[in-house]
Amino acid sequence: MGCVIVSTDGQLLGAGATQRTGGPHAEIMALRDAQARGHSVAGATAYVTLEPCSHQGRTGPCCDALIAAGIKKVVASLTDPNPRVGGQGFERLRAAGIEVEVGPGAAESRELNIGFFSRMVRGTPWVRMKVAASLDGQTALENGTSQWITSAPARADGHAWRARACVVLTGIGTVLEDNPRLDVREVDTPRQPQLLVVDSRLETPLDAHLFIAGRAITIYAAVPNDVKKAALEARGATVIYCPGRQPGTEGKVDLAAMLRDLATREINEIHVEAGHKLNGSLVREGLVDEFLLYLAPKLLGAGRGMVNIGPLAELSQAIELEFRETTMIGPDLRILARIPGRDRF
């Protein structure tokens, strides 16, 4: 979320963005920035992404801070979907004599913060699945070789998408086969996203490269193994048992329950980089909202596909997508495709 404070003559007085969970919100950062610049914000207009909060959480109410600072007008793109706010911030501002305008830039702001809206309205994070493949849809050769199908510019762009997510999700198959780091290295970032591993039987090696980046790692498992759990937690991981309860899911992680649990942990956006098996499970269960596809101008023939969802008996069983964006990244094609209607919440 962001906030920009502008004087009556159009001068930028201060700007700020919401900090990590538990840190100051955008309005507070903008007020601090204005103070650091030596500016008074009395009579100024605050332009904000989201309705200023009105409740006392880990930080104080932003609407009170704006009132105390003498802000004259607030222009907000969106009403806060958080039921603890939901219009109350605007009411408090208006009660204090501050003019409130809502709506400019609403579509753009909602898209930028779609994970937050997903968590608040649906109770689950926004799930984006990233896949790098050849033009014929292969993510690796039959022997598992996959480095590198796409170009260096595409890999750097993929790291930028990693950086914007709350967590990067992968599966134990990818951990065991590729031993990846799955951190952000190709672009500058103020923080590393958390890492999430779906590892039903706690097979994650204690010396896996995943631990190198020094970020939070959460492992969701299904089969209890208290000895391995203790060893992984000694390496800094958090292990959560989330077994499937339905017939046929014994010994597997309940992926839908995992997403609900992640929402309670204030995870807004998940970036999936996994193999075709976990990808297929997420897609079959209807848990993926959109796909970030990088297609290289290559044909690999027989190999490993993007998602294991077939075979289908009829074309009518195909999962329909809509293209939201197509962009050339170096020699490769980046496609952002979304499940139709998934953003209508």
Side-chain angles (χ1 to χ4, degrees):
M1 311 299 176
C3 174
V4 175
I5 302 175
V6 180
S7 67
T8 54
D9 62 358
Q11 179 187 3
L12 174 64
L13 302 178
T18 296
Q19 302 301 293
R20 294 185 185 185
T21 300
H25 290 181
E27 296 89 338
I28 304 302
M29 296 301 295
L31 290 171
R32 290 179 183 177
D33 184 45
Q35 183 179 39
R37 296 171 185 241
H39 297 313
S40 168
V41 299
T45 297
Y47 294 88
V48 296
T49 305
L50 195 67
E51 173 185 5
C53 66
S54 58
H55 64 287
Q56 178 68 50
R58 281 170 290 198
T59 60
C62 291
C63 59
D64 289 355
L66 294 174
I67 292 168
I71 293 293
K72 184 66 175 177
K73 181 178 180 179
V74 171
V75 180
S77 295
L78 299 160
T79 300
D80 194 331
N82 187 337
R84 293 194 295 173
V85 183
Q88 297 178 54
F90 293 147
E91 290 179 8
R92 192 176 297 187
L93 292 170
R94 292 187 176 108
I98 296 176
E99 181 184 352
V100 174
E101 181 181 351
V102 185
E108 295 84 353
S109 293
R110 190 176 187 278
E111 191 66 27
L112 285 171
N113 299 285
I114 196 166
F116 176 73
F117 275 78
S118 175
R119 177 168 67 87
M120 284 296 161
V121 179
R122 300 192 304 181
T124 57
W126 183 259
V127 180
R128 179 182 300 111
M129 180 175 287
K130 178 258 184 179
V131 179
S134 62
L135 194 59
D136 53 349
Q138 303 305 314
T139 60
L141 301 179
E142 284 189 327
N143 62 12
T145 302
S146 61
Q147 295 182 348
W148 298 104
I149 293 175
T150 53
S151 65
R155 296 196 295 275
D157 190 72
H159 277 235
W161 284 87
R162 276 185 194 173
R164 68 162 278 170
C166 298
V167 302
V168 175
L169 182 154
T170 195
I172 185 59
T174 297
V175 173
L176 294 176
E177 287 193 17
D178 299 338
N179 196 17
R181 289 174 56 176
L182 289 175
D183 57 352
V184 178
R185 303 183 302 279
E186 301 292 336
V187 297
D188 292 332
T189 180
R191 60 98 174 110
Q192 288 289 339
Q194 299 178 43
L195 182 67
L196 171 63
V197 182
V198 177
D199 179 6
S200 296
R201 294 174 176 77
L202 290 181
E203 299 174 279
T204 300
L206 298 177
D207 60 351
H209 289 165
L210 301 175
F211 295 104
I212 293 176
R215 63 324 187 26
I217 297 178
T218 302
I219 300 174
Y220 279 85
V223 180
N225 183 336
D226 291 341
V227 173
K228 186 63 177 288
K229 177 178 182 289
L232 289 167
E233 291 182 338
R235 293 286 281 129
T238 298
V239 177
I240 300 172
Y241 289 119
C242 188
R245 304 295 184 185
Q246 302 300 319
T249 65
E250 299 87 351
K252 299 179 181 179
V253 172
D254 186 331
L255 299 175
M258 178 187 74
L259 293 187
R260 294 192 295 270
D261 182 67
L262 288 167
T264 69
R265 300 171 190 272
E266 300 188 337
I267 298 301
N268 293 333
E269 189 173 299
I270 296 176
H271 178 90
V272 180
E273 292 198 37
H276 65 287
K277 292 182 180 178
L278 179 55
N279 284 353
S281 295
L282 290 165
V283 170
R284 286 194 304 273
E285 294 188 33
L287 303 178
V288 178
D289 298 303
E290 69 181 357
F291 297 83
L292 177 66
L293 307 176
Y294 295 89
L295 297 182
K298 302 173 182 176
L299 300 176
L300 297 185
R304 300 185 182 182
M306 299 183 188
V307 292
N308 183 15
I309 59 172
L312 304 180
E314 300 177 5
L315 287 175
S316 61
Q317 297 173 325
I319 297 171
E320 299 287 344
L321 303 173
E322 57 183 16
F323 289 157
R324 300 299 298 266
E325 176 189 303
T326 56
T327 307
M328 293 301 299
I329 306 294
D332 304 316
L333 176 64
R334 184 185 72 195
I335 299 174
L336 192 65
R338 187 168 292 180
I339 303 287
R342 292 304 285 263
D343 53 1
R344 296 177 195 146
F345 46 77

